[in-house]
Amino acid sequence: MSEHVYKLIELTGSSTQSSDDAVRVALSKAANTVRNMHWFEVSETRGHIEEGKVMHWQVTLKVGLRLED
């Protein structure tokens, strides 16, 4: 097994659908310009409320990028 070193970046995704969708939005957008994403950890979840209903989700992620050899 090879040894790996990871760099952490922080992303925040948003969605009107769900917190899971906010995660997918953040990772999908980052995948356009960031290489070697291997794992993520949800560090914060927030939402916007209007008239007693959740209108918007916002999720902050820590993402591990494997550094290239």
Side-chain angles (χ1 to χ4, degrees):
M1 182 174 147
S2 299
E3 295 177 353
H4 299 290
V5 174
Y6 295 87
K7 174 180 180 57
L8 286 177
I9 63 169
E10 191 171 76
L11 303 172
T12 301
S14 61
S15 170
T16 57
Q17 303 302 310
S18 68
S19 58
D20 286 352
D21 192 50
V23 170
R24 283 189 275 281
V25 166
L27 294 174
S28 176
K29 182 71 172 181
N32 291 329
T33 57
V34 177
R35 295 190 318 247
N36 298 326
M37 291 189 296
H38 278 265
W39 57 267
F40 72 91
E41 171 186 337
V42 173
S43 58
E44 195 171 352
T45 304
R46 291 177 300 280
H48 176 81
I49 302 166
E50 285 185 20
E51 298 180 11
K53 296 181 182 179
V54 177
M55 299 304 290
H56 201 94
W57 294 90
Q58 193 174 55
V59 178
T60 300
L61 314 168
K62 292 180 183 177
V63 179
L65 314 172
R66 184 179 44 81
L67 298 180
E68 296 176 349
D69 294 330

Coordinates of all heavy atoms in Angstrom, one line a residue:
M1 N 0.8 -1.2 0.0 CA 0.0 0.0 0.0 C 0.9 1.2 0.0 O 1.8 1.4 0.8 CB -0.9 0.0 1.2 CG -1.8 1.1 1.3 SD -3.0 0.9 2.7 CE -3.2 2.6 3.1
S2 N 0.6 2.2 -0.9 CA 1.3 3.4 -0.9 C 0.9 4.3 0.2 O -0.2 4.3 0.7 CB 1.1 4.1 -2.3 OG 1.5 3.3 -3.3
E3 N 1.8 5.2 0.6 CA 1.5 6.3 1.5 C 1.0 7.5 0.7 O 1.5 7.8 -0.3 CB 2.8 6.6 2.3 CG 3.3 5.5 3.2 CD 4.6 5.9 3.9 OE1 5.1 6.9 3.6 OE2 5.0 5.0 4.7
H4 N 0.0 8.1 1.3 CA -0.6 9.3 0.6 C -0.6 10.5 1.6 O -0.6 10.3 2.8 CB -2.0 9.0 0.2 CG -2.2 7.9 -0.8 ND1 -1.8 7.9 -2.1 CD2 -2.7 6.6 -0.6 CE1 -2.0 6.8 -2.7 NE2 -2.6 6.0 -1.8
V5 N -0.5 11.6 0.9 CA -0.6 12.9 1.7 C -1.8 13.7 1.1 O -2.0 13.7 -0.1 CB 0.7 13.7 1.6 CG1 0.5 15.1 2.2 CG2 1.8 13.0 2.2
Y6 N -2.6 14.2 2.0 CA -3.8 14.9 1.5 C -3.7 16.4 1.9 O -3.2 16.8 2.9 CB -5.1 14.3 2.1 CG -5.3 12.9 1.7 CD1 -4.7 11.8 2.3 CD2 -6.1 12.7 0.6 CE1 -5.0 10.6 1.9 CE2 -6.3 11.4 0.1 CZ -5.8 10.3 0.8 OH -6.0 9.0 0.4
K7 N -4.3 17.2 1.1 CA -4.5 18.7 1.4 C -6.0 18.9 1.6 O -6.8 18.3 0.9 CB -4.0 19.5 0.2 CG -4.3 21.0 0.4 CD -3.8 21.8 -0.8 CE -4.1 23.3 -0.7 NZ -3.5 23.9 0.5
L8 N -6.4 19.7 2.6 CA -7.8 20.0 2.8 C -8.2 21.3 2.2 O -7.4 22.3 2.3 CB -8.1 20.0 4.3 CG -8.1 18.7 5.1 CD1 -8.3 19.0 6.6 CD2 -9.1 17.8 4.6
I9 N -9.3 21.3 1.6 CA -9.9 22.6 1.1 C -11.3 22.6 1.7 O -11.9 21.6 2.1 CB -9.9 22.7 -0.4 CG1 -10.8 21.7 -1.1 CG2 -8.5 22.7 -1.0 CD1 -11.1 21.9 -2.5
E10 N -11.9 23.8 1.7 CA -13.2 24.0 2.3 C -14.1 24.5 1.1 O -13.7 25.4 0.4 CB -13.2 25.0 3.4 CG -14.5 25.0 4.2 CD -14.4 25.8 5.4 OE1 -14.4 27.1 5.3 OE2 -14.3 25.2 6.5
L11 N -15.3 23.9 1.0 CA -16.2 24.3 0.0 C -17.6 24.5 0.6 O -17.9 23.8 1.6 CB -16.4 23.2 -1.1 CG -15.2 22.7 -1.8 CD1 -15.6 21.5 -2.7 CD2 -14.7 23.8 -2.7
T12 N -18.4 25.4 0.1 CA -19.8 25.5 0.5 C -20.7 25.5 -0.7 O -20.5 26.2 -1.6 CB -19.9 26.9 1.3 OG1 -19.1 26.9 2.4 CG2 -21.4 27.0 1.8
G13 N -21.6 24.5 -0.6 CA -22.6 24.4 -1.7 C -24.0 24.8 -1.2 O -24.2 24.7 0.0
S14 N -24.8 25.1 -2.1 CA -26.2 25.5 -1.7 C -27.2 24.9 -2.7 O -26.9 24.6 -3.8 CB -26.3 27.0 -1.7 OG -26.1 27.6 -3.0
S15 N -28.4 24.7 -2.2 CA -29.5 24.1 -2.9 C -30.8 24.5 -2.3 O -31.0 24.6 -1.1 CB -29.3 22.6 -2.9 OG -30.5 21.9 -3.5
T16 N -31.8 24.6 -3.2 CA -33.2 24.7 -2.7 C -33.9 23.4 -2.5 O -34.9 23.3 -1.9 CB -34.0 25.5 -3.7 OG1 -34.0 24.8 -5.0 CG2 -33.5 26.9 -3.9
Q17 N -33.2 22.3 -2.9 CA -33.8 21.0 -2.8 C -33.5 20.3 -1.5 O -34.5 19.8 -0.8 CB -33.3 20.1 -3.9 CG -33.5 20.6 -5.3 CD -35.0 20.9 -5.6 OE1 -35.8 20.0 -5.4 NE2 -35.3 22.1 -6.1
S18 N -32.2 20.1 -1.1 CA -31.9 19.4 0.1 C -30.4 19.6 0.5 O -29.7 20.1 -0.3 CB -32.1 17.9 -0.1 OG -31.2 17.4 -1.0
S19 N -30.1 19.2 1.7 CA -28.7 19.3 2.1 C -27.8 18.4 1.3 O -26.7 18.7 1.0 CB -28.5 19.0 3.6 OG -29.0 17.8 4.0
D20 N -28.3 17.2 1.0 CA -27.6 16.2 0.2 C -27.3 16.8 -1.2 O -26.2 16.7 -1.8 CB -28.4 14.9 0.0 CG -28.3 14.1 1.2 OD1 -27.6 14.4 2.2 OD2 -29.1 13.0 1.2
D21 N -28.3 17.5 -1.8 CA -28.1 18.2 -3.1 C -27.1 19.3 -3.0 O -26.3 19.5 -3.9 CB -29.4 18.7 -3.6 CG -29.3 19.1 -5.1 OD1 -28.9 18.3 -5.9 OD2 -29.8 20.2 -5.4
A22 N -27.0 20.0 -1.9 CA -26.0 21.0 -1.7 C -24.6 20.5 -1.7 O -23.7 21.0 -2.2 CB -26.3 21.8 -0.4
V23 N -24.5 19.3 -1.1 CA -23.2 18.6 -1.1 C -22.8 18.2 -2.6 O -21.7 18.5 -3.0 CB -23.2 17.3 -0.3 CG1 -22.0 16.4 -0.5 CG2 -23.3 17.6 1.2
R24 N -23.8 17.7 -3.3 CA -23.5 17.3 -4.7 C -23.2 18.5 -5.6 O -22.3 18.4 -6.4 CB -24.7 16.6 -5.3 CG -24.8 15.1 -4.8 CD -25.9 14.4 -5.6 NE -27.2 14.6 -5.0 CZ -27.7 13.9 -3.9 NH1 -26.9 13.0 -3.3 NH2 -28.9 14.1 -3.5
V25 N -23.9 19.6 -5.3 CA -23.6 20.8 -6.1 C -22.1 21.3 -5.8 O -21.4 21.6 -6.8 CB -24.6 22.0 -5.7 CG1 -24.1 23.3 -6.2 CG2 -26.0 21.6 -6.2
A26 N -21.7 21.3 -4.6 CA -20.4 21.8 -4.3 C -19.3 20.9 -4.9 O -18.3 21.3 -5.5 CB -20.2 21.8 -2.8
L27 N -19.5 19.5 -4.8 CA -18.5 18.6 -5.3 C -18.5 18.6 -6.8 O -17.4 18.5 -7.5 CB -18.7 17.2 -4.8 CG -18.5 17.0 -3.3 CD1 -18.9 15.6 -2.8 CD2 -17.1 17.3 -2.9
S28 N -19.6 18.7 -7.4 CA -19.7 18.7 -8.9 C -19.0 19.9 -9.5 O -18.3 19.8 -10.5 CB -21.2 18.7 -9.3 OG -21.3 18.8 -10.7
K29 N -19.3 21.1 -8.9 CA -18.7 22.3 -9.4 C -17.2 22.3 -9.2 O -16.4 22.6 -10.1 CB -19.3 23.5 -8.6 CG -18.8 24.9 -9.1 CD -19.3 25.3 -10.4 CE -18.9 26.7 -10.7 NZ -19.4 27.1 -12.0
A30 N -16.7 21.8 -8.0 CA -15.3 21.8 -7.8 C -14.6 20.8 -8.7 O -13.4 21.0 -9.1 CB -15.0 21.4 -6.3
A31 N -15.3 19.7 -9.1 CA -14.7 18.7 -10.0 C -14.3 19.3 -11.3 O -13.4 18.7 -12.0 CB -15.6 17.5 -10.1
N32 N -14.8 20.4 -11.7 CA -14.5 21.1 -13.0 C -13.1 21.6 -12.9 O -12.4 21.8 -14.0 CB -15.5 22.2 -13.3 CG -16.8 21.7 -13.6 OD1 -17.0 20.6 -14.1 ND2 -17.8 22.5 -13.3
T33 N -12.5 22.0 -11.8 CA -11.2 22.6 -11.7 C -10.3 22.0 -10.7 O -9.1 22.3 -10.7 CB -11.3 24.1 -11.4 OG1 -12.0 24.2 -10.1 CG2 -12.1 24.8 -12.5
V34 N -10.7 21.1 -9.8 CA -9.9 20.5 -8.8 C -9.7 19.0 -9.1 O -10.7 18.3 -9.3 CB -10.6 20.7 -7.4 CG1 -9.8 20.0 -6.3 CG2 -10.8 22.2 -7.1
R35 N -8.5 18.6 -9.0 CA -8.1 17.2 -9.2 C -8.0 16.4 -7.9 O -7.7 17.0 -6.9 CB -6.9 17.0 -10.0 CG -6.9 17.6 -11.4 CD -5.7 17.3 -12.2 NE -4.5 17.4 -11.5 CZ -3.5 18.3 -11.7 NH1 -3.7 19.2 -12.6 NH2 -2.4 18.3 -10.9
N36 N -8.1 15.1 -8.0 CA -7.7 14.2 -6.9 C -8.6 14.3 -5.7 O -8.1 14.1 -4.6 CB -6.3 14.2 -6.6 CG -5.4 13.9 -7.8 OD1 -5.7 13.0 -8.6 ND2 -4.2 14.5 -7.9
M37 N -9.8 14.7 -5.8 CA -10.7 14.7 -4.6 C -11.0 13.3 -4.2 O -11.4 12.5 -5.1 CB -12.0 15.5 -4.9 CG -11.8 17.0 -5.1 SD -13.4 17.9 -5.2 CE -14.1 17.2 -6.6
H38 N -10.8 13.0 -2.9 CA -11.0 11.6 -2.5 C -12.0 11.4 -1.4 O -12.6 10.3 -1.3 CB -9.6 11.0 -2.1 CG -8.8 10.5 -3.2 ND1 -8.8 9.2 -3.6 CD2 -8.0 11.2 -4.0 CE1 -8.0 9.1 -4.7 NE2 -7.5 10.3 -4.9
W39 N -12.3 12.4 -0.6 CA -13.2 12.2 0.5 C -13.7 13.6 0.9 O -13.1 14.6 0.6 CB -12.6 11.5 1.7 CG -11.4 12.0 2.2 CD1 -10.1 11.7 1.9 CD2 -11.2 13.1 3.2 NE1 -9.2 12.5 2.6 CE2 -9.9 13.3 3.4 CE3 -12.2 13.8 4.0 CZ2 -9.4 14.3 4.4 CZ3 -11.7 14.7 4.9 CH2 -10.3 15.0 5.1
F40 N -14.8 13.6 1.7 CA -15.3 14.8 2.2 C -15.9 14.6 3.6 O -16.3 13.5 3.9 CB -16.4 15.5 1.3 CG -17.7 14.8 1.2 CD1 -18.7 15.2 2.1 CD2 -17.9 13.8 0.3 CE1 -19.9 14.5 2.1 CE2 -19.2 13.2 0.3 CZ -20.2 13.5 1.1
E41 N -16.0 15.7 4.3 CA -16.6 15.7 5.7 C -17.5 16.9 5.8 O -17.1 18.0 5.5 CB -15.5 15.7 6.7 CG -16.0 15.9 8.1 CD -14.8 16.1 9.1 OE1 -13.7 15.7 8.8 OE2 -15.0 16.7 10.1
V42 N -18.8 16.7 6.1 CA -19.7 17.9 6.3 C -19.3 18.5 7.7 O -19.3 17.9 8.7 CB -21.1 17.4 6.3 CG1 -22.1 18.6 6.7 CG2 -21.5 16.8 5.0
S43 N -18.9 19.8 7.6 CA -18.5 20.5 8.8 C -19.6 21.4 9.3 O -19.6 21.8 10.5 CB -17.2 21.2 8.6 OG -17.3 22.2 7.6
E44 N -20.5 21.8 8.4 CA -21.6 22.8 8.9 C -22.8 22.7 7.9 O -22.6 22.5 6.7 CB -21.0 24.2 8.8 CG -21.8 25.2 9.6 CD -21.1 26.5 9.7 OE1 -19.9 26.6 9.3 OE2 -21.7 27.5 10.1
T45 N -24.0 22.7 8.5 CA -25.2 22.8 7.7 C -26.0 23.9 8.2 O -26.3 24.1 9.4 CB -26.0 21.5 7.9 OG1 -25.2 20.4 7.5 CG2 -27.2 21.5 7.0
R46 N -26.5 24.8 7.2 CA -27.3 25.9 7.5 C -28.5 25.9 6.6 O -28.5 25.3 5.6 CB -26.6 27.2 7.3 CG -25.5 27.4 8.3 CD -24.7 28.7 8.0 NE -24.1 28.7 6.7 CZ -22.9 28.1 6.5 NH1 -22.3 27.4 7.4 NH2 -22.4 28.1 5.3
G47 N -29.6 26.6 7.0 CA -30.7 26.8 6.1 C -31.4 28.1 6.2 O -31.2 28.8 7.2
H48 N -32.1 28.5 5.2 CA -32.9 29.7 5.2 C -34.3 29.4 5.3 O -34.9 28.5 4.6 CB -32.6 30.5 3.9 CG -33.4 31.7 3.7 ND1 -33.0 32.9 4.3 CD2 -34.5 32.0 3.0 CE1 -33.9 33.8 4.0 NE2 -34.8 33.3 3.2
I49 N -35.0 30.1 6.2 CA -36.4 29.8 6.5 C -37.3 31.0 6.1 O -37.0 32.1 6.3 CB -36.7 29.6 8.0 CG1 -35.8 28.4 8.5 CG2 -38.1 29.3 8.3 CD1 -35.7 28.4 10.0
E50 N -38.4 30.7 5.4 CA -39.4 31.7 5.0 C -40.8 31.1 5.4 O -41.1 30.0 4.9 CB -39.3 32.0 3.6 CG -38.2 32.9 3.2 CD -38.2 33.4 1.7 OE1 -39.3 33.3 1.1 OE2 -37.1 33.8 1.3
E51 N -41.6 31.8 6.1 CA -42.9 31.4 6.5 C -43.0 30.0 7.1 O -43.8 29.2 6.7 CB -43.9 31.6 5.3 CG -44.0 33.0 4.8 CD -44.9 33.2 3.7 OE1 -45.6 32.2 3.3 OE2 -44.9 34.3 3.1
G52 N -42.0 29.7 7.9 CA -41.9 28.4 8.6 C -41.4 27.2 7.7 O -41.5 26.1 8.2
K53 N -41.0 27.5 6.5 CA -40.5 26.4 5.6 C -39.1 26.6 5.2 O -38.6 27.8 5.1 CB -41.4 26.4 4.3 CG -42.8 26.1 4.6 CD -43.6 26.0 3.3 CE -45.1 25.7 3.6 NZ -45.8 25.7 2.3
V54 N -38.4 25.5 5.1 CA -37.0 25.6 4.6 C -37.0 26.0 3.1 O -37.6 25.3 2.3 CB -36.2 24.2 4.8 CG1 -34.8 24.3 4.2 CG2 -36.2 23.8 6.2
M55 N -36.3 27.1 2.8 CA -36.3 27.5 1.4 C -35.0 27.3 0.7 O -34.9 27.3 -0.5 CB -36.7 29.0 1.4 CG -38.0 29.4 1.9 SD -39.4 28.5 1.1 CE -39.3 29.3 -0.5
H56 N -33.9 27.2 1.5 CA -32.6 27.1 1.0 C -31.7 26.4 2.0 O -31.7 26.6 3.1 CB -32.1 28.5 0.7 CG -31.0 28.6 -0.2 ND1 -31.2 28.9 -1.6 CD2 -29.7 28.5 -0.1 CE1 -30.1 28.9 -2.2 NE2 -29.1 28.7 -1.4
W57 N -30.9 25.4 1.5 CA -29.9 24.7 2.2 C -28.5 25.2 1.9 O -28.2 25.5 0.7 CB -29.9 23.2 2.0 CG -31.2 22.6 2.4 CD1 -32.3 22.4 1.7 CD2 -31.4 22.0 3.7 NE1 -33.3 21.8 2.4 CE2 -32.7 21.5 3.6 CE3 -30.7 21.8 4.8 CZ2 -33.3 20.8 4.7 CZ3 -31.2 21.2 5.9 CH2 -32.5 20.7 5.8
Q58 N -27.6 25.3 2.9 CA -26.2 25.6 2.6 C -25.3 24.7 3.5 O -25.5 24.6 4.7 CB -25.9 27.1 3.0 CG -24.6 27.6 2.5 CD -24.5 29.1 2.7 OE1 -24.6 29.5 3.9 NE2 -24.2 29.9 1.7
V59 N -24.4 24.0 2.8 CA -23.6 23.0 3.5 C -22.1 23.3 3.2 O -21.7 23.4 2.1 CB -23.9 21.5 3.0 CG1 -23.1 20.5 3.6 CG2 -25.4 21.2 3.2
T60 N -21.3 23.3 4.3 CA -19.9 23.5 4.2 C -19.2 22.2 4.4 O -19.5 21.4 5.3 CB -19.4 24.5 5.2 OG1 -20.1 25.8 5.0 CG2 -17.9 24.7 5.1
L61 N -18.2 21.9 3.5 CA -17.5 20.6 3.4 C -16.0 20.8 3.6 O -15.5 21.8 3.1 CB -17.7 19.9 2.1 CG -19.1 19.8 1.5 CD1 -19.0 19.4 0.0 CD2 -19.9 18.8 2.3
K62 N -15.4 19.9 4.2 CA -13.9 19.8 4.1 C -13.7 18.7 3.1 O -14.2 17.6 3.3 CB -13.3 19.4 5.5 CG -13.4 20.5 6.5 CD -12.8 20.1 7.8 CE -13.0 21.2 8.9 NZ -12.5 20.7 10.2
V63 N -12.8 18.9 2.1 CA -12.6 18.0 1.1 C -11.1 17.6 1.1 O -10.2 18.5 1.1 CB -13.0 18.5 -0.3 CG1 -12.7 17.5 -1.4 CG2 -14.5 18.9 -0.3
G64 N -10.8 16.3 1.1 CA -9.4 15.8 1.0 C -9.0 15.6 -0.4 O -9.6 14.9 -1.1
L65 N -7.9 16.3 -0.8 CA -7.3 16.1 -2.1 C -6.0 15.4 -1.9 O -5.1 15.8 -1.2 CB -7.0 17.5 -2.7 CG -8.0 18.6 -2.7 CD1 -7.4 19.9 -3.2 CD2 -9.2 18.2 -3.5
R66 N -5.8 14.3 -2.7 CA -4.6 13.5 -2.6 C -3.5 14.2 -3.4 O -3.7 14.6 -4.6 CB -4.8 12.1 -3.1 CG -3.5 11.3 -3.0 CD -3.7 9.8 -3.4 NE -4.4 9.7 -4.7 CZ -3.9 9.9 -5.9 NH1 -2.6 10.2 -6.0 NH2 -4.6 9.8 -7.0
L67 N -2.4 14.6 -2.8 CA -1.3 15.2 -3.5 C -0.7 14.3 -4.5 O -0.5 13.1 -4.1 CB -0.3 15.8 -2.5 CG -0.8 16.9 -1.6 CD1 0.3 17.3 -0.6 CD2 -1.4 18.0 -2.3
E68 N -0.3 14.7 -5.6 CA 0.3 13.9 -6.6 C 1.8 13.6 -6.3 O 2.4 14.4 -5.6 CB 0.3 14.6 -8.0 CG -1.2 14.8 -8.5 CD -1.3 15.6 -9.8 OE1 -0.2 16.2 -10.2 OE2 -2.3 15.6 -10.4
D69 N 2.2 12.4 -6.7 CA 3.6 12.0 -6.4 C 4.6 12.8 -7.3 O 4.3 13.3 -8.3 CB 3.8 10.5 -6.7 CG 2.9 9.7 -5.7 OD1 2.7 10.2 -4.6 OD2 2.5 8.6 -6.1

